Amino acid sequence: MTDDSVRSGGCLCGAVRFEIAVPGAKFSICHCGMCRKWSAGPFMTVHCSGEATFENQEGLAWYPGSEWAERGFCSRCGSSLFYRLTMQPDPDLIVSVEAFDDADDMILERHIYVDAQPQRYQFGDSRPRVTEAEFLKELGITPLEES
Ligand SMILES: [Zn+2]
Ligand SMILES: [Zn+2]
């Protein structure tokens, strides 16, 4: 059984406030160009269980960043908050570590899209590093081939 704990979080201005079940307390860092552009740095995320419960979602907006995923953000303060796959019927919500009120106990699990990481920054940890192709294979996506 997974030990899901419900955690609260929100954007910078409070126009988005939510609670969501977090299995474990682990996060990943995505180095892909879209995440870096969107979040102004490597995007650190927690894979959560199911959907969030919203206390306030006045500011929540979604940007369809690709054919298979969309990105949720606060349209008032600009905070990058969520990522979810749109090709699945009930996708799990992937949440920015920084959106949580308390994430001090969260542990880095791995880096993804490391082949898209620029040379200008480096992380000093020795956690696993996964390429774009390896990650998409896990998701069952083959982007350069149809069907
Ligand atoms: Zn906001
Ligand atoms: Zn990314």
Side-chain angles (χ1 to χ4, degrees), residues 11-16 74-79:
C11 66
L12 191 59
C13 75
V16 183
C74 178
S75 60
R76 290 198 191 158
C77 69
S79 298

Side-chain angles (χ1 to χ4, degrees), residues 4-118:
D4 288 13
S5 68
V6 174
R7 294 186 187 231
S8 61
C11 66
L12 191 59
C13 75
V16 183
R17 289 291 308 165
F18 65 90
E19 285 191 335
I20 194 164
V22 179
K26 294 176 289 189
F27 69 96
S28 303
I29 304 177
C30 185
H31 299 278
C32 85
M34 285 184 66
C35 281
R36 285 187 286 106
K37 181 71 87 178
W38 185 64
S39 69
F43 191 37
M44 305 193 190
T45 60
V46 182
H47 194 120
C48 296
S49 298
E51 261 297 339
T53 304
F54 288 95
E55 191 182 306
N56 187 358
Q57 51 182 323
E58 283 172 42
L60 183 60
W62 290 91
Y63 169 66
S66 72
E67 284 179 23
W68 64 81
E70 60 186 0
R71 294 168 185 269
F73 61 98
C74 178
S75 60
R76 290 198 191 158
C77 69
S79 298
S80 304
L81 299 169
F82 307 124
Y83 180 93
R84 70 182 172 199
L85 296 174
T86 48
M87 62 182 187
Q88 294 174 347
D90 291 304
D92 286 338
L93 199 62
I94 293 163
V95 180
S96 169
V97 169
E98 304 303 336
F100 288 102
D101 297 330
D102 183 1
D104 285 351
D105 60 328
M106 291 204 184
I107 292 165
L108 175 58
E109 184 174 31
R110 64 177 183 169
H111 298 260
I112 62 171
Y113 280 77
V114 289
D115 46 339
Q117 181 179 340

Side-chain angles (χ1 to χ4, degrees), residues 67-68 113 132-133 135-137 140-147:
E67 284 179 23
W68 64 81
Y113 280 77
E132 175 179 6
F135 183 69
L136 292 179
K137 199 174 168 190
I141 298 169
T142 44
L144 300 177
E145 284 173 3
E146 285 294 295
S147 79

